[in-house]
Amino acid sequence: MAARAASGGGGAAPCPLLLLPLLLFLPGLAAGPAGMLQPRDTPSRERRELGGLWSFRADLSPGRDAGFAQRWYRRPLRQSGPVIDMPVPASFNDITQDRSLENYIGWVWYEKEVLLPLRWLQGDPAPRVVLRFGSAHYYSIVWVNGVQVVEHEGGHLPFEADISSVVQGSPGALCRITVALNNTLTPHTLPPGSIQYMTDKSRYPRNYFVQDIRFDFFNYAGIHRPVVLYTTPAAYIDDITVTTTSSENVAVVQYQVSVLGSTANSLSLSLRDQEGKVVATGDGPVGELEVLNPNLWWPYLMHENPGYLYSLEVKMQAQVDGVLLEDVYTLPVGIRTVHVTSTQFLINGRPFYFHGVNKHEDADIRGKGLDWPLIVKDFNLLRWLGANSFRTSHYPYAEEIMDLCDAYGIVVIDESPGVGIKLPESFGNKSLQHHLAVMEELIRRDKNRPSVVMWSVANEPASELPPAAHYFKTVIAHTKALDPSRPVTFVTEANYALDHGAPYVDVICVNSYFSWYHDPGHLEVIPLQLTAQFENWYKTYQKPIIQSEYGADSVPGMHSDPPLMFSEEYQKAMLREYHSVFDKKRKEYLIGELIWNFADFMTNQGTTRVLGNKKGIFTRQRQPKAAAFVLRDRYWKIANESSCLPPVITSHSLFL
């Protein structure tokens, strides 16, 4: 849900233990701007990251409400009681030796004190100062110098607040940022969850409760992505929307620019190629730029120069209180088209086959915290693998990851956090309204990315339930209205004859685990069952199909011949059985295969999981299992079959 004024209820409403006290929101403070341009340094803007160590305190009071009752935000957090150092960005769960933090549910508090440059606080008019969080999981309330500035529901997406009036009205340049963060999931959040109270006093301590979830990855919590302070002029470029079309020798970049703070005196645009040459110019808030002989944005392995990006420089001048202000923002632009037929997925008019992976933002110690070495390692592994795509399972990934997808030509199915929608109450109007708001946030953030070719509104919901028909018809129609330029899907595991959401999607994305969760150990059933799956879905809907998940757990170093479950040989054998069917169906209507999973990842503890999910073709530390080499050989073979590149391009000649 969009950042907004705080009121009673909060993000933990159905759990009395975690009710959010009534908070005062001061009028006049921004509750989130209309646009959500990624912060960049430009001639008119400055950007400062606030990563590093923050003060941290978990509220261990019985009601988890001591921080609000005692107003910890009114003074430095260290004055409220003991604090510890906590790195940002990172999940807090695995950082300490404190067992209570590993599975902690409730409110935690973060704080950072920074000194602002005087040039940010002075001037007539003074610049806007904006505080932005890339992601905080799950429900956030933020104060600056004791004044509440923003409240946001939902992890995985950015939120921000204009804090100019707070910091410019305070004595000195100190900016004390306090964050209260609650990771409780309810039946109406995305993803949903519920709180279960254990009332048997002979078995559980007083007030004992657990968070129930219906998804198979660890519910990491914390400030997961960079926190940034940035400035703009008092009148500024608030949002830019671009769409592109192309013919044989001409491309058109349609644009729309919104300005806030004042009416623009002038608005000019320049599109530059990678050598810095201006290839098109325009003016005004709405228009078209015509590009002759364009360099199109192509996926990795589909062109010798994948991921080609132009730079769209937007300049605005406006009068504010008699002063002429200028704002400059540069947006990367990739020129490409997407089209879906009954049997094909076309990028720039050419058939595209998704041979890629599903991933998680997950790693040792840092949890879901953004980590640049890990991100670069993952992209090197993707290109080594010959993967041209991935799905952001099961939530939007960091903007920094999406930037590299744009630059490297990695195609993305951009998925909302709608995973684990299983209960009937999660299909009600309250959940629906939140889901619509989340799709608005996601599209607002990623609408201009050439790497994003399709939106996925959910993963494995209970789409066989009757309320799912209205629910997904509404969510998908809303998504298409927000962005008519991209197809929309959701990922199903329901029976083809019972799925109430499938009629509304553009592409059928289906998950199946034959010989693993179904008929475990029986590899021989895969050809028959997988073939029937594809034929039933296509006969019913006449839409292209992606095998959006398939796979098997393998414990690294565990071997068995004949193949037995959990051995590396079984994982390899399963892949080969699936691949034999894929090769037949991709000649017809199968347009993609995405392995589950890229790398092993953490889950809740349970008798079926030994230190997490082991379906990765890489270990959690990014070392290859035997299946990685099977997949690598396959992906490079597919790439060479479908590529316009010279046949000398092999897995050994690129990105080793």
Side-chain angles (χ1 to χ4, degrees):
M1 186 174 294
R4 62 185 186 279
S7 60
C15 177
L17 187 65
L18 303 176
L19 277 176
L20 173 64
L22 184 65
L23 297 171
L24 176 65
F25 185 85
L26 297 185
L29 294 176
M36 191 59 75
L37 292 175
Q38 191 172 353
R40 303 183 189 278
D41 285 307
T42 77
S44 60
R45 299 177 176 219
E46 291 186 71
R47 178 180 181 274
R48 179 178 177 186
E49 284 201 20
L50 303 182
L53 296 182
W54 288 49
S55 296
F56 176 89
R57 184 179 181 187
D59 188 340
L60 297 173
S61 62
R64 302 288 201 263
D65 59 354
F68 296 104
Q70 299 169 19
R71 300 185 177 183
W72 289 356
Y73 51 87
R74 286 287 184 89
R75 53 182 179 162
L77 190 59
R78 61 185 177 274
Q79 295 180 13
S80 70
V83 297
I84 62 173
D85 288 335
M86 185 61 65
V88 171
S91 302
F92 63 71
N93 307 82
D94 296 340
I95 298 297
T96 75
Q97 302 308 108
D98 185 349
R99 188 172 59 183
S100 67
L101 277 184
E102 183 179 13
N103 293 292
Y104 177 88
I105 300 295
W107 291 102
V108 299
W109 293 71
Y110 285 80
E111 185 182 84
K112 181 82 167 180
E113 294 181 340
V114 297
L115 289 173
L116 301 182
L118 288 177
R119 64 182 177 277
W120 287 19
L121 309 176
Q122 300 172 347
D124 188 16
R128 290 173 68 243
V129 181
V130 182
L131 173 63
R132 178 187 176 105
F133 291 78
S135 169
H137 195 79
Y138 176 81
Y139 193 98
S140 307
I141 306 171
V142 183
W143 296 262
V144 172
N145 295 341
V147 176
Q148 186 183 334
V149 295
V150 71
E151 175 186 2
H152 183 259
E153 180 180 359
H156 317 297
L157 287 166
F159 59 96
E160 62 183 30
D162 183 340
I163 64 171
S164 309
S165 62
V166 177
V167 296
Q168 291 165 358
S170 300
L174 182 66
C175 177
R176 177 168 53 84
I177 302 165
T178 308
V179 183
L181 188 59
N182 193 326
N183 62 339
T184 306
L185 300 178
T186 80
H188 309 297
T189 57
L190 283 183
S194 58
I195 294 293
Q196 181 180 2
Y197 288 97
M198 306 301 190
T199 57
D200 186 345
K201 295 181 180 178
S202 67
R203 300 180 63 192
Y204 300 100
R206 184 182 179 186
N207 295 325
Y208 191 82
F209 65 92
V210 294
Q211 171 82 76
D212 285 341
I213 56 176
R214 292 166 183 83
F215 51 85
D216 189 29
F217 54 94
F218 193 81
N219 185 32
Y220 279 112
I223 301 177
H224 284 150
R225 297 175 190 160
V227 183
V228 175
L229 283 168
Y230 72 93
T231 65
T232 74
Y236 60 98
I237 300 162
D238 176 62
D239 199 16
I240 305 169
T241 302
V242 297
T243 56
T244 63
T245 58
S246 63
S247 58
E248 185 172 347
N249 297 312
V250 180
V252 175
V253 178
Q254 297 175 311
Y255 66 85
Q256 183 172 342
V257 180
S258 64
V259 172
L260 291 180
S262 179
T263 302
N265 291 10
S266 67
L267 192 63
S268 61
L269 300 93
S270 300
L271 188 69
R272 299 177 184 271
D273 63 17
Q274 290 187 349
E275 285 69 49
K277 178 184 176 182
V278 175
V279 296
T281 60
D283 57 73
V286 179
E288 295 182 348
L289 305 177
E290 189 175 277
V291 184
L292 300 178
N293 301 313
N295 292 295
L296 300 183
W297 187 94
W298 288 102
Y300 175 55
L301 298 180
M302 203 171 176
H303 191 271
E304 61 186 3
N305 187 15
Y308 192 96
L309 294 174
Y310 290 86
S311 296
L312 180 63
E313 183 183 74
V314 183
K315 288 186 177 181
M316 178 220 68
Q317 289 187 334
Q319 291 277 349
V320 177
D321 297 332
V323 178
L324 183 64
L325 300 178
E326 182 175 81
D327 190 21
V328 181
Y329 190 86
T330 301
L331 179 75
V333 171
I335 298 174
R336 64 105 183 92
T337 59
V338 173
H339 183 64
V340 176
T341 73
S342 62
T343 59
Q344 292 182 316
F345 195 99
L346 305 175
I347 295 181
N348 299 329
R350 287 182 50 202
F352 176 77
Y353 187 78
F354 295 79
H355 46 90
V357 304
N358 295 276
K359 293 179 88 277
H360 266 298
E361 290 182 315
D362 171 280
D364 291 331
I365 302 174
R366 62 194 60 75
K368 290 191 180 304
L370 182 133
D371 181 79
W372 272 115
L374 183 74
I375 290 172
V376 173
K377 177 67 174 179
D378 281 1
F379 273 94
N380 283 330
L381 289 175
L382 285 170
R383 296 187 295 178
W384 173 88
L385 193 65
N388 63 8
S389 55
F390 65 75
R391 173 169 64 117
T392 68
S393 47
H394 300 296
Y395 39 81
Y397 290 176
E399 290 168 290
E400 291 80 358
I401 293 174
M402 304 299 283
D403 287 343
L404 291 186
C405 291
D406 289 339
Y408 293 164
I410 302 297
V411 170
V412 177
I413 301 173
D414 208 351
E415 190 161 271
S416 86
V419 56
I421 307 175
K422 301 293 189 182
L423 299 177
E425 60 189 306
S426 295
F427 288 95
N429 190 59
K430 183 175 181 180
S431 297
L432 177 59
Q433 294 306 311
H434 179 54
H435 203 147
L436 297 178
V438 168
M439 293 311 301
E440 291 173 8
E441 288 192 6
L442 174 57
I443 292 171
R444 182 175 63 182
R445 193 195 74 166
D446 290 345
K447 62 187 174 182
N448 296 322
R449 295 189 176 279
S451 60
V452 175
V453 300
M454 184 157 54
W455 306 111
S456 171
V457 301
N459 176 75
E460 295 186 355
S463 50
E464 71 280 1
L465 296 178
H470 171 72
Y471 189 94
F472 284 109
K473 180 180 181 181
T474 304
V475 172
I476 291 171
H478 186 65
T479 303
K480 286 178 173 291
L482 292 168
D483 178 20
S485 71
R486 291 178 176 87
V488 180
T489 190
F490 74 90
V491 177
T492 183
E493 61 170 353
N495 183 287
Y496 75 96
L498 302 176
D499 195 309
H500 293 290
Y504 307 108
V505 302
D506 298 301
V507 173
I508 300 292
C509 289
V510 60
N511 295 347
S512 57
Y513 290 90
F514 305 124
S515 86
W516 190 257
Y517 295 123
H518 311 283
D519 299 296
H522 293 280
L523 294 165
E524 65 274 9
V525 306
I526 293 175
L528 179 64
Q529 294 183 3
L530 185 59
T531 299
Q533 167 198 278
F534 287 139
E535 292 179 352
N536 287 331
W537 277 104
Y538 192 75
K539 181 180 178 180
T540 304
Y541 292 105
Q542 299 290 303
K543 297 175 181 178
I545 300 172
I546 296 175
Q547 181 73 43
S548 41
E549 287 183 26
Y550 71 105
D553 286 75
S554 67
V555 177
M558 181 175 174
H559 298 286
S560 174
D561 185 25
L564 296 178
M565 292 179 70
F566 292 98
S567 68
E568 292 195 45
E569 286 73 19
Y570 192 90
Q571 188 180 37
K572 288 170 54 180
M574 173 183 276
L575 297 191
R576 286 177 170 141
E577 293 290 347
Y578 266 81
H579 295 165
S580 66
V581 179
F582 292 167
D583 284 340
K584 297 174 184 177
K585 295 304 177 185
R586 67 188 177 96
K587 298 174 184 177
E588 302 176 45
Y589 46 73
L590 184 69
I591 61 168
E593 55 190 78
L594 303 177
I595 188 70
W596 189 267
N597 190 280
F598 173 73
D600 294 346
F601 57 91
M602 188 52 64
T603 64
N604 276 357
Q605 296 184 69
T607 54
T608 61
R609 296 286 183 235
V610 181
L611 292 179
N613 190 305
K614 295 292 193 293
K615 291 188 181 66
I617 59 169
F618 298 100
T619 68
R620 203 178 187 210
Q621 294 73 36
R622 276 47 181 184
Q623 295 303 313
K625 302 178 190 178
F629 296 94
V630 171
L631 213 60
R632 183 179 190 239
D633 288 345
R634 174 173 178 77
Y635 283 179
W636 281 97
K637 180 181 178 182
I638 292 173
N640 279 315
E641 288 174 356
S642 59
S643 178
C644 63
L645 298 177
V648 296
I649 301 297
T650 70
S651 60
H652 298 284
S653 60
L654 285 177
F655 305 115
L656 296 182

